Amino acid sequence: MDLKEARTRIDSIDDQLTRLFAERMGIAREIAAYKSANKLPVFDRERERAVLNRVEDKVGPELESYANVLYTTLFDVTRSYEYRSLATGSKIGDAIRDALRNTPDVFPSRSVVACQGVEGSYSQSACDRIFNMPSIMYFDNFRSVFQAVESGLCRYGVLPIENSTAGSVNEVYDLMKKHKFYIVRGAKIKVEHSLLAKNGTRLSNIKEIWSKDIALEQCSEFLGQLKGVKLRVCENTATAARMVMESDRNDIAAVSSRNCAELYGLKALADGIQNNKSNYTRFICISKNLEIYPGADKTSLMFSIAHKPGSLYHVVSRFSALGLNLTKLESRPMPDTDFQFMFYFDLEANIHDEKVQRLLCEFDDEFEKFTYLGSYSEII
């Protein structure tokens, strides 16, 4: 058989596949109507598994993995078509549409906001970027910020989620699995660290430096040049500056922002001591209620995936099929489970797009632990 003849035969087979595909989708629509009338879920894991087993047995060992990929994709397409055919509501779909209808056109300029740390912290700087006139309540730790929002004590909370040098703030990601909230805004803040000490203190006098662990890591190159100096971890960079101010010692310093020098009556022994001069931290603004403001072009999701080959690809390929750009993928182990992970996704996705809303409804139906975290814009 020559190449031309082979391609002619493939074209003939493709024609048959196209006809059978259309016929299959028509039957799928009938099945969707039956499921709707009998209040059955669109996603049927047991049925899909049975089909895969039957198909793999028919094609044999050489082709079974390829058949698995083909039919898994076919299931995704069919399921999406069933959702579209039904055009019925879902909890997530209804919540998104309600938020799009009821959220004001303008983000609030003032509100009660929870932040971790004290005055002068980078969280405060992010809060001031997001709100014009925030009333800030400070808390000792990230957990308390989530609890303040969850309980209704504060309408919003501002939390760091990722640094361009030190990476993700793992504690925040772990807490995200335990609390109910939505992301309504994001902000990216440039982080510039200074070494602050009391007036009259020289760099050669310093025996101990205090700061947040991530800040110390971000300044590791500068700090590594200081011989015999101990590092002490504090809750926050601004807290470290305040502790230096309140201490009776004259041989300590804090890695903190230049803003804290004036705020706490300290002087800068060195400025710009971070390893990377282009050092940014991303913050999220969370709310107890779902709010989607105009301009929301980023969507965040969180769910667990079965621990088996191809599971993550199966999800990511569905983003790609809709032309959605995946900008963040973070995995965190789930406590008390055997090799199970919770995955966090950031997508460039227009939540007004019905295809995006349908995809979220599909995920909610398909995955046992799925959370839509919100759609929002990020201030840069």
Side-chain angles (χ1 to χ4, degrees), residues 64-81:
E64 65 177 18
S65 60
Y66 300 99
N68 186 292
V69 173
L70 172 63
Y71 272 81
T72 299
T73 303
L74 185 59
F75 293 155
D76 292 339
V77 171
T78 304
R79 200 180 309 118
S80 179
Y81 185 65

Side-chain angles (χ1 to χ4, degrees), residues 7 14 25 29 31 70 81 83 95 103 110 162 175 212 233 237 258 271 273 280 322 346 352 360 368 370:
R7 286 177 171 171
D14 285 344
M25 296 298 275
R29 184 165 54 184
I31 292 173
L70 172 63
Y81 185 65
Y83 276 107
T103 302
R110 61 193 308 166
E162 180 184 16
L175 288 167
K212 177 78 174 171
V233 174
T237 56
R258 197 65 160 79
D271 288 317
I273 63 173
Y280 288 86
L322 292 181
D346 279 343
H352 291 84
L360 300 184
E368 182 179 351
F370 169 78

Side-chain angles (χ1 to χ4, degrees), residues 9 14 56 101 105 117 185 187 210 212 225 240 251 275 277 286 312 345 350:
R9 291 186 60 184
D14 285 344
E56 289 171 359
R101 267 194 312 268
D105 291 337
R185 206 57 138 206
W210 300 347
K212 177 78 174 171
Q225 299 173 12
D251 59 351
N275 301 346
K277 301 307 177 185
I286 64 171
L312 184 57
F345 297 88
N350 184 350

Side-chain angles (χ1 to χ4, degrees), residues 310-327:
S311 293
L312 184 57
Y313 166 79
H314 174 57
V315 173
V316 173
S317 63
R318 292 160 76 172
F319 297 142
S320 177
L322 292 181
L324 303 178
N325 185 30
L326 181 63
T327 59

Side-chain angles (χ1 to χ4, degrees), residues 167-312:
S168 299
V169 184
N170 291 331
E171 182 182 353
V172 172
Y173 278 104
D174 289 338
L175 288 167
M176 289 169 71
K177 296 179 294 191
K178 302 177 181 179
H179 295 274
K180 178 67 175 177
F181 68 96
Y182 295 99
I183 304 174
V184 298
R185 206 57 138 206
K188 186 182 289 186
I189 301 295
K190 187 171 185 179
V191 175
E192 294 184 300
H193 293 306
S194 297
L195 186 66
L196 307 183
K198 290 184 178 180
N199 289 317
T201 302
R202 296 182 178 180
L203 184 59
S204 58
N205 301 140
I206 301 301
K207 295 181 180 179
E208 197 165 289
I209 295 176
W210 300 347
S211 195
K212 177 78 174 171
D213 51 357
I214 293 178
L216 295 173
E217 182 179 346
Q218 292 169 358
C219 302
S220 60
E221 294 178 5
F222 173 85
L223 299 176
Q225 299 173 12
L226 306 179
K227 305 303 180 183
V229 175
K230 295 181 180 180
L231 304 180
R232 176 178 170 183
V233 174
C234 301
E235 298 170 348
N236 187 275
T237 56
T239 300
R242 189 179 68 178
M243 290 171 62
V244 169
M245 181 267 292
E246 294 174 346
S247 175
D248 295 330
R249 296 174 59 180
N250 292 310
D251 59 351
I252 56 175
V255 172
S256 190
S257 68
R258 197 65 160 79
N259 181 46
C260 284
E262 182 178 350
L263 188 63
Y264 294 110
L266 303 174
K267 74 169 185 177
L269 301 180
D271 288 317
I273 63 173
Q274 66 275 4
N275 301 346
N276 188 346
K277 301 307 177 185
S278 181
N279 185 27
Y280 288 86
T281 295
R282 286 183 57 223
F283 289 83
I284 54 172
C285 177
I286 64 171
S287 169
K288 183 179 181 180
N289 301 314
L290 177 59
E291 302 171 6
I292 305 177
Y293 290 91
D297 56 2
K298 178 173 288 189
T299 291
S300 294
L301 314 170
M302 187 166 60
F303 48 82
S304 62
I305 302 172
H307 184 58
K308 63 180 184 180
S311 293
L312 184 57

Side-chain angles (χ1 to χ4, degrees), residues 42 46 50 54 89 92 111 138 146 162 184 236 267 275 304 313 320 341 356:
V42 169
E46 185 176 352
R54 179 169 56 83
I92 284 184
S111 189
Y138 291 104
F146 277 102
E162 180 184 16
V184 298
N236 187 275
K267 74 169 185 177
N275 301 346
S304 62
Y313 166 79
S320 177
F341 291 83
V356 175

